[in-house]
Amino acid sequence: MPVRFTDHIASLPATIPFVGPETAERQRGKQFLARIGANESVFGPSPRAIAAMAASLGEIWKYCDPENHDLRAGIAKHYGISPDNVVIGEGIDGLLGLGVRLFVEQGVSVVMPDGAYPTFAFHVNGFAGNLVKVPLVDDRESIDDMLEAARRYKARILYLSNPNNPMGTFWEAGDLRRLADNLPDGCVLFLDEAYCEFAPEGSLLPVDVSEAKVIRFRTFSKAYGMAGARIGYTIGQADVIAAFNKIRNQYGISRVGQIGALAALGDQDWLKDVCSRTAQGRERLYQIAADNGLKAIPSNTNFVTMDCGRDPVFAKSVLDGLVGQGIFVRMPFAAPGNRCIRVGVGTEADLDLFAQVLPRVLRTVGK
């Protein structure tokens, strides 16, 4: 006798937000030569974080602290706020799921840029929300168009990533302030700041935990180099964070991950060095793009999105050619971004290999 799912779950397609490089390697039957498509930091975590995690392994038999007390306190001190304004989760992905659960039920509208981070859309669909997608303009979100859609559909959430994934573009603090100040009644801003450490200094919207309508999502996965540990955090007004605590997975964050993230947070010199090396890597990618007749979109992240100059079919052929040569990259999946490929900052060896392979692929596909 078949099991009975809810009608909504039964109606959902069998899709996942991402196909990981490991899946692609299993399909290919061999490993990639350069893994520069998942927006990971090839520079890794702080040596202090590695040492702290290694030292903690002998006590892995212990459960983690379900309150994430020390890590929350460390994050709070870093930003000059209270631990009551911080909640820890299984990466931004897990926290977005909790956030959607707080505000979305069947028929509730949510506004997001078309082609933005697909995991957010995955969660909204999972909770039966009405997803309103707003096209990008000049390769970034249109603040005015998103506000208009939020008003028209009486949205409960407006989602925006800054710096933007997958295009790498950026809105200055004043623009984000205008967005937050003009949200319609009953709408909150989900501000995904996964790449915030790479943004120009002083350009981010200042942290203000007094306003409940702005909920910020940050992570140790990108600049801190701990993607595999799955440590994210949300900053918000205390009542909002208390609501997250009502539904979060109390034991979802490993003991080792908590210890490593706290040690990483304490090594800001390493973070600055990573951001500097990432900026150098972006410059190299800009040059590789120019050398091959592609247009690099200026980036404030650890990747560079390259305009292939033609249609999505051509961009996909470039992507497939690179993957076929052992270079793992991705491409934005919605117009107008799907005329591009997206390449992460890699090691010098990774970028040397990319520079060698890209012109061969472009010749093959007819650039």
Side-chain angles (χ1 to χ4, degrees):
M1 183 176 180
V3 296
R4 174 62 188 259
F5 300 109
T6 66
D7 291 343
H8 174 66
I9 294 301
S11 73
L12 291 174
T15 59
I16 57 174
F18 292 107
V19 176
E22 294 83 3
T23 300
E25 286 176 335
R26 287 190 289 270
Q27 293 169 346
R28 298 175 70 243
K30 53 186 174 181
Q31 290 186 323
F32 286 109
L33 301 175
R35 177 174 166 142
I36 49 176
N39 301 357
E40 299 152 328
S41 174
V42 296
F43 307 117
S46 159
R48 293 187 198 174
I50 295 172
M53 289 186 285
S56 74
L57 290 176
E59 294 187 330
I60 198 67
W61 58 271
K62 296 180 180 178
Y63 282 113
C64 67
D65 173 8
E67 296 181 6
N68 305 290
H69 175 277
D70 291 351
L71 181 54
R72 286 172 52 240
I75 292 170
K77 181 179 179 181
H78 183 70
Y79 292 108
I81 56 179
S82 166
D84 292 338
N85 299 118
V86 181
V87 64
I88 310 297
E90 300 93 328
I92 285 180
D93 305 69
L95 289 162
L96 287 175
L98 294 179
V100 169
R101 184 178 171 189
L102 290 178
F103 295 100
V104 176
E105 53 194 352
Q106 188 165 10
V108 167
S109 291
V110 174
V111 170
M112 71 178 295
D114 194 12
Y117 192 51
T119 298
F120 178 71
F122 180 79
H123 289 310
V124 174
N125 289 329
F127 286 101
N130 173 37
L131 199 56
V132 179
K133 296 184 176 183
V134 179
L136 299 181
V137 177
D138 296 329
D139 296 320
R140 62 179 179 174
E141 307 88 346
S142 168
I143 286 178
D144 291 331
D145 290 349
M146 294 187 72
L147 283 171
E148 195 280 328
R151 288 189 289 266
R152 183 193 314 169
Y153 291 95
K154 297 180 172 59
R156 296 283 298 278
I157 300 172
L158 189 157
Y159 169 87
L160 180 144
S161 60
N162 196 55
N164 175 274
N165 179 19
M167 306 308 291
T169 49
F170 182 72
W171 283 107
E172 295 283 345
D175 299 297
L176 270 293
R177 186 70 267 161
R178 180 170 68 88
L179 172 62
D181 288 345
N182 287 280
L183 290 170
D185 290 344
C187 183
V188 297
L189 172 62
F190 275 24
L191 187 54
D192 181 342
E193 297 180 310
Y195 300 91
C196 66
E197 289 85 6
F198 299 114
E201 187 174 355
S203 62
L204 295 170
L205 182 68
V207 172
D208 180 0
V209 294
S210 69
E211 54 179 348
K213 63 184 178 181
V214 178
I215 305 173
R216 314 173 82 121
F217 299 83
R218 295 187 175 185
T219 186
F220 286 89
S221 293
K222 304 302 181 186
Y224 284 100
M226 295 181 60
R230 311 308 303 129
I231 308 289
Y233 58 101
T234 295
I235 298 173
Q237 194 256 5
D239 289 342
V240 172
I241 298 304
F244 274 85
N245 280 320
K246 291 180 180 180
I247 59 172
R248 71 179 176 87
N249 181 358
Q250 302 290 313
Y251 285 96
I253 305 302
S254 75
R255 179 183 179 86
V256 173
Q258 290 181 38
I259 290 169
L262 183 58
L265 187 67
D267 193 352
Q268 291 296 302
D269 287 340
W270 176 264
L271 180 69
K272 290 176 183 177
D273 184 62
V274 166
C275 291
S276 176
R277 286 190 281 172
T278 300
Q280 293 171 18
R282 288 197 304 262
E283 292 296 328
R284 177 81 192 282
L285 286 171
Y286 294 157
Q287 187 61 54
I288 294 171
D291 290 345
N292 288 277
L294 307 184
K295 178 183 177 183
I297 297 170
S299 174
N300 291 281
T301 67
N302 62 353
F303 60 82
V304 172
T305 298
M306 300 178 181
D307 187 343
C308 293
R310 288 166 58 177
D311 57 21
V313 174
F314 177 73
K316 182 64 163 58
S317 69
V318 175
L319 176 81
D320 290 342
L322 290 167
V323 170
Q325 293 294 311
I327 311 294
F328 176 71
V329 297
R330 284 189 172 127
M331 63 181 286
F333 60 86
N338 57 359
R339 71 192 192 282
C340 304
I341 59 171
R342 191 191 65 188
V343 185
V345 170
T347 64
E348 288 188 18
D350 290 335
L351 300 188
D352 286 346
L353 185 60
F354 177 65
Q356 294 170 17
V357 171
L358 179 61
R360 296 204 301 263
V361 168
L362 290 173
R363 287 194 296 270
T364 300
V365 300
K367 175 68 175 177

